[in-house]
Amino acid sequence: GEMYAAILVVVLCFFFNDTATTEIYTLSLHDALPIYRIMRMHTCLHLLSTVLAYPVTGGQITDGRGRLDFDIPEAGLDKDEITAALNALIDADHPLSEKWITDAELDAQPELVKTMSVQPPRGSGRVRLIEIQGCDLQPCGGTHVARTGEIGAVVVQKIEKKGARNRRVRVE
């Protein structure tokens, strides 16, 4: 078979009914790199949602690319300004952490939820929050890098008008 120069062992801990379950996966570098690029872009989109502090109406992440749709009325968004603001947050190398709150605590802080159409999963009694120190705090079940510096330089490629109040911002 194929031989890879490196192997990545991923240990994932899952919590179900307050019981920790550990799963170990071995990935070839060939498989791990696209996942890592998606983690970097996912974290970048968190930063984008802080640079553009508008409700998020949609989004998509692919290998090395991402987009968020925002509920923005007529707005003069500038690609270069948004790119500079994103890269400043990335270069600041902010650490990420997670914490958990109860469903009731989330209900008492609805401003934590930035997405209009997708709500955090509820019913297990607690919700995971991702914090980018000094930048962002929101419910999220996705995968992220440990520090914003891992994202690397990004560029806002395009801003599209997708409706009267919908602006799509594409990042690579």
Side-chain angles (χ1 to χ4, degrees), residues 48 52 57-60 66-72 77 79 82 156-163 165-171:
L48 180 61
L52 297 174
T57 59
Q60 182 179 27
R67 68 160 170 88
L68 285 181
D69 297 343
F70 294 94
D71 181 15
I72 304 175
L77 300 179
K79 290 190 308 187
I82 298 168
V156 173
Q157 292 293 329
K158 191 175 190 180
I159 299 173
E160 302 170 84
K161 183 175 181 176
K162 296 305 247 180
R165 297 185 53 90
N166 193 27
R167 301 298 175 270
R168 178 168 290 170
V169 181
R170 295 184 182 275
V171 180

Side-chain angles (χ1 to χ4, degrees), residues 142-155:
T143 56
H144 306 83
V145 295
R147 305 185 69 84
T148 60
E150 292 181 55
I151 297 168
V154 298
V155 175

Side-chain angles (χ1 to χ4, degrees), residues 82-105:
I82 298 168
T83 296
L86 275 174
N87 284 311
L89 290 172
I90 291 166
D91 292 344
D93 200 28
H94 297 282
L96 278 78
S97 60
E98 70 176 33
K99 60 184 176 180
W100 295 83
I101 62 173
T102 66
D103 290 347
E105 289 171 313

Side-chain angles (χ1 to χ4, degrees), residues 31-114:
D31 293 330
L33 287 177
I35 293 168
Y36 184 62
R37 286 191 296 266
I38 288 170
M39 291 167 61
R40 289 169 43 205
M41 184 52 63
H42 183 118
T43 308
C44 178
L45 294 181
H46 276 263
L47 294 177
L48 180 61
S49 76
T50 67
V51 170
L52 297 174
Y54 298 96
V56 175
T57 59
Q60 182 179 27
I61 303 169
T62 60
D63 186 357
R65 295 186 177 105
R67 68 160 170 88
L68 285 181
D69 297 343
F70 294 94
D71 181 15
I72 304 175
E74 287 302 322
L77 300 179
D78 183 276
K79 290 190 308 187
D80 294 334
E81 287 178 13
I82 298 168
T83 296
L86 275 174
N87 284 311
L89 290 172
I90 291 166
D91 292 344
D93 200 28
H94 297 282
L96 278 78
S97 60
E98 70 176 33
K99 60 184 176 180
W100 295 83
I101 62 173
T102 66
D103 290 347
E105 289 171 313
L106 181 61
D107 290 340
Q109 301 175 75
E111 70 279 1
L112 291 175
V113 180
K114 295 182 177 186

